[in-house]
Structures are given as C-alpha cells and as structure tokens.
Amino acid sequence: MNTANSHFVHHVLFYLKNPNSAEDKAQLIEGLQALSKVPCIIFSNIGSPANTTRDIIEKDYSISWLCLFESPEKEEEYQVHPLHDAFKETCHHLWQKVVIYDALSC
C-alpha cells in the first residue's frame, strides 16, 4: 500500500450525556457544521443512527461525524486547526464518551 497517496478517513461517534435532549443534539450538530469549514477536509458528513434492524449494527451512539482527508498529514492539520480547538472548547460538555475510528484507504 502506498500511504503517500491514501485517503485518511476519520470517523467519530459521539455519545451524548443527555441522548434524549434535542437541544444538546442541535448544539453538537451546529458545532460540527462549523467544524466542517476546516479547509483541509475534502468531505464530511454528520449523521445519526439509521433505523436498521440487523443485530450486528451498533446504534447506541448519538451523532456520527465522518470526514475525509487527502492524507494523514492533512488530518494532522485538522487536529490543530483553530476551528477544531473551538469545537472541543464549546461542545466537550455535551458528550460522555467519544469513539474514533481512523483508517487509511487501501
């Protein structure tokens, strides 16, 4: 695999402290919409668990944040970008747990 030409996928699952709070979900979504403006993101998606019924599917998270970068170096830029810092500062109180899956495309 040539990692120099691989896309970097960053998938974050947020578990809200108050998962039934429409206000908390809205605030997190608003924060992620602002975060999507980081210039090195080439694709992003904000989602919620789908109403699928297969036993193997995890649906216990509140909000999903998926973004794509052209390289691991671009994802590192994202990690230290002021909009990322602002997102963490303004939204960290909303979640009880965060799970992150990072992957390189093959």
Side-chain angles (χ1 to χ4, degrees):
M1 174 173 67
N2 181 358
T3 57
N5 294 324
S6 296
H7 282 118
F8 191 98
V9 178
H10 182 64
H11 196 184
V12 184
L13 302 178
F14 293 94
Y15 296 76
L16 291 176
K17 289 179 183 175
N18 301 305
N20 296 320
S21 169
E23 183 179 303
D24 286 4
K25 283 183 185 177
Q27 186 177 352
L28 180 57
I29 290 168
E30 183 179 314
L32 290 168
Q33 288 169 336
L35 185 58
S36 72
K37 305 291 190 246
V38 174
C40 58
I41 297 173
I42 58 176
F43 171 82
S44 67
N45 184 74
I46 302 165
S48 59
N51 191 22
T52 49
T53 58
R54 295 180 307 278
D55 291 340
I56 197 167
I57 297 173
E58 292 290 334
K59 298 191 301 186
D60 59 343
Y61 63 93
S62 303
I63 297 293
S64 166
W65 166 245
L66 176 69
C67 44
L68 182 68
F69 302 90
E70 67 182 34
S71 68
E73 294 78 20
K74 291 296 184 181
E75 195 272 344
E76 285 297 322
E77 281 182 35
Y78 158 83
Q79 289 295 331
V80 297
H81 194 279
L83 287 175
H84 189 260
D85 292 340
F87 168 74
K88 291 186 296 186
E89 179 64 30
T90 60
C91 293
H92 76 276
H93 69 282
L94 297 170
W95 57 75
Q96 65 177 336
K97 176 176 142 181
V98 174
V99 175
I100 300 173
Y101 297 96
D102 285 340
L104 286 173
S105 55
C106 297

